[in-house]
Short mmCIF file of all heavy atoms in Angstrom, two decimals:
data_model
loop_
_atom_site.label_atom_id
_atom_site.label_comp_id
_atom_site.label_asym_id
_atom_site.label_seq_id
_atom_site.Cartn_x
_atom_site.Cartn_y
_atom_site.Cartn_z
N THR G 9 105.72 127.27 93.04
CA THR G 9 105.38 127.21 94.47
C THR G 9 104.06 127.93 94.73
O THR G 9 103.19 127.41 95.44
CB THR G 9 106.48 127.86 95.32
OG1 THR G 9 107.72 127.17 95.10
CG2 THR G 9 106.14 127.81 96.80
N ALA G 10 103.90 129.12 94.15
CA ALA G 10 102.67 129.89 94.35
C ALA G 10 101.45 129.16 93.80
O ALA G 10 100.40 129.09 94.44
CB ALA G 10 102.81 131.26 93.69
N VAL G 11 101.60 128.61 92.59
CA VAL G 11 100.48 127.90 91.96
C VAL G 11 100.12 126.64 92.76
O VAL G 11 98.94 126.34 92.98
CB VAL G 11 100.82 127.53 90.50
CG1 VAL G 11 99.77 126.60 89.91
CG2 VAL G 11 100.92 128.79 89.65
N THR G 12 101.14 125.91 93.21
CA THR G 12 100.90 124.69 93.98
C THR G 12 100.20 125.00 95.29
O THR G 12 99.22 124.34 95.67
CB THR G 12 102.22 123.96 94.27
OG1 THR G 12 102.87 123.63 93.03
CG2 THR G 12 101.97 122.67 95.06
N PHE G 13 100.68 126.03 96.01
CA PHE G 13 100.06 126.39 97.28
C PHE G 13 98.62 126.84 97.08
O PHE G 13 97.71 126.42 97.81
CB PHE G 13 100.86 127.50 97.96
CG PHE G 13 100.22 128.01 99.22
CD1 PHE G 13 100.24 127.26 100.38
CD2 PHE G 13 99.58 129.25 99.24
CE1 PHE G 13 99.64 127.72 101.55
CE2 PHE G 13 98.97 129.72 100.40
CZ PHE G 13 99.00 128.95 101.55
N ALA G 14 98.39 127.68 96.07
CA ALA G 14 97.04 128.17 95.80
C ALA G 14 96.11 127.02 95.41
O ALA G 14 94.97 126.96 95.87
CB ALA G 14 97.07 129.22 94.69
N GLY G 15 96.60 126.11 94.58
CA GLY G 15 95.79 124.99 94.14
C GLY G 15 95.42 124.05 95.27
O GLY G 15 94.25 123.66 95.41
N LEU G 16 96.40 123.70 96.10
CA LEU G 16 96.14 122.79 97.22
C LEU G 16 95.24 123.44 98.26
O LEU G 16 94.36 122.77 98.83
CB LEU G 16 97.46 122.36 97.85
CG LEU G 16 98.37 121.48 96.99
CD1 LEU G 16 99.72 121.29 97.66
CD2 LEU G 16 97.72 120.12 96.74
N SER G 17 95.45 124.72 98.52
CA SER G 17 94.59 125.43 99.47
C SER G 17 93.16 125.47 98.96
O SER G 17 92.20 125.29 99.74
CB SER G 17 95.10 126.85 99.69
OG SER G 17 96.41 126.84 100.25
N ALA G 18 93.01 125.69 97.65
CA ALA G 18 91.67 125.73 97.05
C ALA G 18 90.97 124.38 97.18
O ALA G 18 89.77 124.31 97.46
CB ALA G 18 91.76 126.14 95.59
N VAL G 19 91.73 123.30 96.98
CA VAL G 19 91.15 121.96 97.12
C VAL G 19 90.61 121.75 98.53
O VAL G 19 89.48 121.27 98.73
CB VAL G 19 92.20 120.87 96.79
CG1 VAL G 19 91.70 119.49 97.21
CG2 VAL G 19 92.52 120.88 95.30
N ALA G 20 91.41 122.13 99.53
CA ALA G 20 90.99 121.95 100.92
C ALA G 20 89.81 122.85 101.28
O ALA G 20 88.90 122.44 101.99
CB ALA G 20 92.17 122.22 101.86
N LEU G 21 89.84 124.09 100.77
CA LEU G 21 88.79 125.05 101.11
C LEU G 21 87.47 124.76 100.40
O LEU G 21 86.39 124.89 100.99
CB LEU G 21 89.25 126.47 100.77
CG LEU G 21 90.38 127.04 101.64
CD1 LEU G 21 90.92 128.32 101.03
CD2 LEU G 21 89.88 127.29 103.06
N ILE G 22 87.56 124.37 99.14
CA ILE G 22 86.34 124.15 98.34
C ILE G 22 85.69 122.82 98.67
O ILE G 22 84.48 122.74 98.89
CB ILE G 22 86.65 124.26 96.84
CG1 ILE G 22 87.09 125.69 96.49
CG2 ILE G 22 85.43 123.86 96.00
CD1 ILE G 22 87.58 125.86 95.07
N THR G 23 86.49 121.77 98.70
CA THR G 23 85.92 120.44 98.97
C THR G 23 85.59 120.25 100.44
O THR G 23 84.73 119.44 100.78
CB THR G 23 86.89 119.34 98.54
OG1 THR G 23 88.08 119.37 99.35
CG2 THR G 23 87.28 119.50 97.08
N ARG G 24 86.32 120.99 101.31
CA ARG G 24 86.17 120.87 102.76
C ARG G 24 86.34 119.42 103.23
O ARG G 24 85.77 118.99 104.23
CB ARG G 24 84.81 121.42 103.22
CG ARG G 24 84.58 122.86 102.86
CD ARG G 24 83.34 123.42 103.53
NE ARG G 24 83.55 123.55 104.97
CZ ARG G 24 84.17 124.59 105.54
NH1 ARG G 24 84.65 125.57 104.80
NH2 ARG G 24 84.30 124.65 106.85
N LYS G 25 87.16 118.69 102.49
CA LYS G 25 87.46 117.31 102.85
C LYS G 25 88.41 117.29 104.05
O LYS G 25 89.28 118.14 104.18
CB LYS G 25 88.09 116.59 101.66
CG LYS G 25 88.40 115.11 101.91
CD LYS G 25 88.96 114.45 100.67
CE LYS G 25 89.27 112.99 100.93
NZ LYS G 25 89.83 112.31 99.72
N ASP G 26 88.24 116.31 104.90
CA ASP G 26 89.09 116.15 106.07
C ASP G 26 90.35 115.37 105.67
O ASP G 26 90.27 114.19 105.35
CB ASP G 26 88.33 115.42 107.17
CG ASP G 26 89.11 115.39 108.48
OD1 ASP G 26 90.26 115.88 108.51
OD2 ASP G 26 88.57 114.86 109.47
N PHE G 27 91.48 116.06 105.67
CA PHE G 27 92.74 115.43 105.29
C PHE G 27 93.56 115.00 106.51
O PHE G 27 94.78 114.85 106.41
CB PHE G 27 93.57 116.38 104.43
CG PHE G 27 93.04 116.57 103.03
CD1 PHE G 27 92.22 117.66 102.73
CD2 PHE G 27 93.34 115.66 102.04
CE1 PHE G 27 91.73 117.82 101.45
CE2 PHE G 27 92.86 115.82 100.75
CZ PHE G 27 92.03 116.90 100.45
N SER G 28 92.90 114.79 107.63
CA SER G 28 93.62 114.38 108.84
C SER G 28 94.28 113.02 108.69
O SER G 28 95.22 112.69 109.42
CB SER G 28 92.67 114.36 110.05
OG SER G 28 91.59 113.46 109.83
N PHE G 29 93.81 112.22 107.72
CA PHE G 29 94.41 110.90 107.49
C PHE G 29 95.85 111.00 107.01
O PHE G 29 96.59 110.01 106.99
CB PHE G 29 93.58 110.11 106.47
CG PHE G 29 93.54 110.71 105.09
CD1 PHE G 29 94.51 110.38 104.15
CD2 PHE G 29 92.54 111.60 104.73
CE1 PHE G 29 94.49 110.92 102.88
CE2 PHE G 29 92.51 112.15 103.45
CZ PHE G 29 93.48 111.82 102.53
N LEU G 30 96.27 112.20 106.60
CA LEU G 30 97.64 112.39 106.12
C LEU G 30 98.65 112.50 107.26
O LEU G 30 99.86 112.55 107.00
CB LEU G 30 97.72 113.65 105.25
CG LEU G 30 97.02 113.61 103.89
CD1 LEU G 30 97.05 114.98 103.24
CD2 LEU G 30 97.69 112.57 102.99
N SER G 31 98.19 112.56 108.49
CA SER G 31 99.10 112.79 109.62
C SER G 31 100.17 111.70 109.74
O SER G 31 101.36 112.00 109.95
CB SER G 31 98.31 112.88 110.93
OG SER G 31 97.59 111.67 111.16
N ASN G 32 99.78 110.45 109.59
CA ASN G 32 100.76 109.35 109.67
C ASN G 32 101.76 109.41 108.53
O ASN G 32 102.95 109.15 108.72
CB ASN G 32 100.04 108.00 109.68
CG ASN G 32 99.25 107.76 110.95
OD1 ASN G 32 99.59 108.29 112.01
ND2 ASN G 32 98.19 106.99 110.87
N PHE G 33 101.26 109.75 107.34
CA PHE G 33 102.15 109.88 106.18
C PHE G 33 103.17 111.00 106.41
O PHE G 33 104.35 110.86 106.06
CB PHE G 33 101.33 110.17 104.93
CG PHE G 33 102.15 110.61 103.74
CD1 PHE G 33 102.83 109.69 102.96
CD2 PHE G 33 102.25 111.96 103.42
CE1 PHE G 33 103.59 110.09 101.87
CE2 PHE G 33 103.02 112.38 102.33
CZ PHE G 33 103.69 111.43 101.56
N ILE G 34 102.72 112.09 106.99
CA ILE G 34 103.61 113.23 107.23
C ILE G 34 104.70 112.88 108.24
O ILE G 34 105.88 113.21 108.05
CB ILE G 34 102.79 114.44 107.73
CG1 ILE G 34 101.92 114.97 106.57
CG2 ILE G 34 103.70 115.54 108.26
CD1 ILE G 34 100.94 116.05 107.00
N ILE G 35 104.33 112.18 109.30
CA ILE G 35 105.31 111.79 110.32
C ILE G 35 106.33 110.82 109.73
O ILE G 35 107.55 111.01 109.88
CB ILE G 35 104.60 111.13 111.52
CG1 ILE G 35 103.73 112.16 112.23
CG2 ILE G 35 105.63 110.54 112.49
CD1 ILE G 35 102.86 111.56 113.33
N ALA G 36 105.84 109.78 109.05
CA ALA G 36 106.75 108.81 108.44
C ALA G 36 107.60 109.45 107.35
O ALA G 36 108.80 109.19 107.25
CB ALA G 36 105.94 107.64 107.86
N GLY G 37 106.98 110.31 106.55
CA GLY G 37 107.71 110.98 105.48
C GLY G 37 108.82 111.87 105.99
O GLY G 37 109.90 111.93 105.41
N ALA G 38 108.56 112.57 107.11
CA ALA G 38 109.58 113.45 107.69
C ALA G 38 110.80 112.65 108.12
O ALA G 38 111.95 113.05 107.87
CB ALA G 38 108.99 114.22 108.87
N ILE G 39 110.56 111.52 108.77
CA ILE G 39 111.67 110.68 109.25
C ILE G 39 112.49 110.15 108.07
O ILE G 39 113.72 110.24 108.05
CB ILE G 39 111.13 109.51 110.09
CG1 ILE G 39 110.46 110.05 111.36
CG2 ILE G 39 112.26 108.55 110.45
CD1 ILE G 39 109.75 108.99 112.17
N VAL G 40 111.80 109.62 107.06
CA VAL G 40 112.49 109.04 105.90
C VAL G 40 113.27 110.11 105.14
O VAL G 40 114.43 109.90 104.75
CB VAL G 40 111.47 108.36 104.97
CG1 VAL G 40 112.14 107.94 103.66
CG2 VAL G 40 110.86 107.15 105.64
N LEU G 41 112.66 111.26 104.94
CA LEU G 41 113.32 112.31 104.16
C LEU G 41 114.54 112.88 104.88
O LEU G 41 115.56 113.17 104.24
CB LEU G 41 112.32 113.43 103.86
CG LEU G 41 111.26 113.10 102.80
CD1 LEU G 41 110.21 114.20 102.74
CD2 LEU G 41 111.90 112.91 101.43
N ILE G 42 114.45 113.04 106.19
CA ILE G 42 115.60 113.56 106.95
C ILE G 42 116.76 112.58 106.88
O ILE G 42 117.91 112.98 106.65
CB ILE G 42 115.19 113.84 108.41
CG1 ILE G 42 114.26 115.04 108.47
CG2 ILE G 42 116.44 114.10 109.25
CD1 ILE G 42 113.70 115.31 109.85
N LEU G 43 116.47 111.29 107.04
CA LEU G 43 117.53 110.28 106.96
C LEU G 43 118.13 110.24 105.56
O LEU G 43 119.36 110.17 105.40
CB LEU G 43 116.96 108.90 107.33
CG LEU G 43 116.56 108.69 108.79
CD1 LEU G 43 115.92 107.33 108.98
CD2 LEU G 43 117.77 108.85 109.70
N ALA G 44 117.29 110.29 104.54
CA ALA G 44 117.78 110.27 103.15
C ALA G 44 118.60 111.52 102.85
O ALA G 44 119.61 111.45 102.14
CB ALA G 44 116.59 110.16 102.19
N MET G 45 118.18 112.65 103.40
CA MET G 45 118.92 113.89 103.18
C MET G 45 120.31 113.82 103.79
O MET G 45 121.30 114.25 103.18
CB MET G 45 118.14 115.07 103.77
CG MET G 45 118.77 116.43 103.55
SD MET G 45 117.71 117.78 104.14
CE MET G 45 117.62 117.39 105.90
N VAL G 46 120.40 113.27 105.00
CA VAL G 46 121.70 113.13 105.66
C VAL G 46 122.61 112.20 104.86
O VAL G 46 123.80 112.50 104.65
CB VAL G 46 121.51 112.59 107.10
CG1 VAL G 46 122.86 112.24 107.72
CG2 VAL G 46 120.78 113.61 107.96
N VAL G 47 122.07 111.08 104.38
CA VAL G 47 122.86 110.14 103.59
C VAL G 47 123.34 110.79 102.29
O VAL G 47 124.50 110.63 101.89
CB VAL G 47 122.02 108.87 103.26
CG1 VAL G 47 122.76 107.98 102.28
CG2 VAL G 47 121.72 108.11 104.54
N ALA G 48 122.44 111.54 101.64
CA ALA G 48 122.80 112.21 100.39
C ALA G 48 123.90 113.24 100.61
O ALA G 48 124.80 113.41 99.76
CB ALA G 48 121.56 112.87 99.78
N MET G 49 123.87 113.93 101.76
CA MET G 49 124.89 114.93 102.06
C MET G 49 126.23 114.28 102.38
O MET G 49 127.28 114.75 101.93
CB MET G 49 124.43 115.80 103.23
CG MET G 49 123.29 116.75 102.92
SD MET G 49 122.66 117.56 104.40
CE MET G 49 124.15 118.24 105.08
N ILE G 50 126.21 113.21 103.15
CA ILE G 50 127.45 112.56 103.57
C ILE G 50 128.16 111.90 102.40
O ILE G 50 129.38 112.04 102.21
CB ILE G 50 127.17 111.51 104.68
CG1 ILE G 50 126.69 112.22 105.95
CG2 ILE G 50 128.42 110.69 104.97
CD1 ILE G 50 126.29 111.27 107.06
#
């Protein structure tokens, strides 16, 4: 977890790339993952 967070933060800070295009993926991913999690639990 620590290595992943540090690596991803470094990518965003060093490249200064705009990752705002991920917003739609995050919204859709949250919905799909929550539904899948509920199904897996039930």
Side-chain angles (χ1 to χ4, degrees):
T9 301
V11 170
T12 302
F13 175 74
L16 293 172
S17 298
V19 168
L21 291 169
I22 295 173
T23 66
R24 302 190 69 83
K25 182 177 180 180
D26 187 357
F27 288 96
S28 59
F29 64 89
L30 291 173
S31 60
N32 291 332
F33 168 80
I34 290 173
I35 294 173
I39 296 173
V40 171
L41 286 172
I42 290 174
L43 291 176
M45 183 174 62
V46 171
V47 172
M49 289 172 53
I50 294 176

